[in-house]
Amino acid sequence: MLSVNKLIVAALSLFSIALLTMTFFLPEESEVNKLLHYYDFGLCIVFFYDFLKQFINSDQKLKYFFTYGWLDLLSSIPVIAEFRYVRIFRIFRVLRIIQSFRMLVKFIRSNRVASLYGLIIFMAVTIMIITSTLVLYFEKDSGNIKTAEDALWWSYVTITTVGYGDFYPVTSIGKLLSGILILTGIASFGAVISYITGRVDTIKAKGKHH
């Protein structure tokens, strides 16, 4: 059955495959390569959670596991790099469920709020990964963001709009990317607050009816 969570996981699977492909063109000892592997590890946690959720909720657990569940499990284990490209099967499964563009449009229209929040989550994650990777690439030789850990910390404090100022971009491209990440953080937190407020109002309305 199609759901917002499945769409997000499918989109993240495609994005993670793009990240893995990029690592083949980078020196193995480079900080950018190291950063991409950090993010891939984080995505693996998301995929492993998705596997556990599907396995627990499945009415036929053995059938799920021995059809494509074992592929989901292998593709979510960080140390087994060779199996990470199996994530492409997640995308194929979602596409098979959707079957047509018309069905996807109908699903989004009937789940507008959930689809919007799902899109915001996906965009926030991808923008944070892309901007931090590019900032590290452009700043490592001229600024104070020189390691993968520096880039991770900078992206975290920037998207949360805390801005400690211990790490900051000095190049024009870096400053532009920083501005994009700050705007992403503001939009994301605004969406989260709106979502929580909507959920609270819904629960209150249900309580009054009862």
Side-chain angles (χ1 to χ4, degrees), residues 6 9 13 28 42 45 49 62 66 76 79 92 108 113 127 145 156 158-159 187 200:
K6 286 185 178 181
V9 170
S13 297
E28 188 174 348
I45 295 175
Y49 171 77
L62 290 177
F66 287 106
S76 63
V79 295
F92 289 150
I108 293 175
V113 176
I127 289 174
I145 303 175
Y156 174 73
T158 301
I159 198 169
V200 170

Side-chain angles (χ1 to χ4, degrees), residues 134-150:
L134 290 176
V135 162
L136 177 60
Y137 178 79
F138 287 109
E139 296 282 329
K140 65 182 186 299
D141 296 324
S142 55
N144 63 359
I145 303 175
K146 297 182 179 297
T147 67
E149 292 78 12
D150 293 343

Side-chain angles (χ1 to χ4, degrees), residues 39 43 78 95 100 109-110 141 173:
Y39 281 129
L43 291 173
L95 291 176
S100 69
R109 284 180 176 176
S110 58
D141 296 324
I173 296 177

Side-chain angles (χ1 to χ4, degrees), residues 179-191:
I180 293 173
L181 190 56
I182 291 172
L183 291 175
T184 300
I186 294 172
S188 299
F189 278 102

Side-chain angles (χ1 to χ4, degrees), residues 27-39 148-149:
E28 188 174 348
E29 67 281 0
S30 72
E31 290 296 324
V32 175
N33 189 40
K34 187 178 179 182
L35 178 62
L36 291 179
H37 277 92
Y38 278 148
Y39 281 129
E149 292 78 12

Side-chain angles (χ1 to χ4, degrees), residues 12-26 32-33 35-41 43-44 47 74-88 129:
L12 288 176
S13 297
L14 183 61
F15 183 64
S16 69
I17 290 172
L19 290 181
L20 286 174
T21 303
M22 287 175 59
T23 61
F24 287 111
F25 301 96
L26 296 169
V32 175
N33 189 40
L35 178 62
L36 291 179
H37 277 92
Y38 278 148
Y39 281 129
D40 184 69
F41 183 83
L43 291 173
C44 282
F47 298 144
L74 287 176
S75 68
S76 63
I77 300 177
V79 295
I80 310 180
E82 292 77 8
F83 285 98
R84 295 186 192 179
Y85 282 93
V86 175
R87 296 169 190 169
I88 195 73
I129 293 175

Side-chain angles (χ1 to χ4, degrees), residues 84 102 111 133 145 202 208:
R84 295 186 192 179
R102 184 179 299 177
N111 299 271
T133 302
I145 303 175
T202 300
K208 289 180 179 180

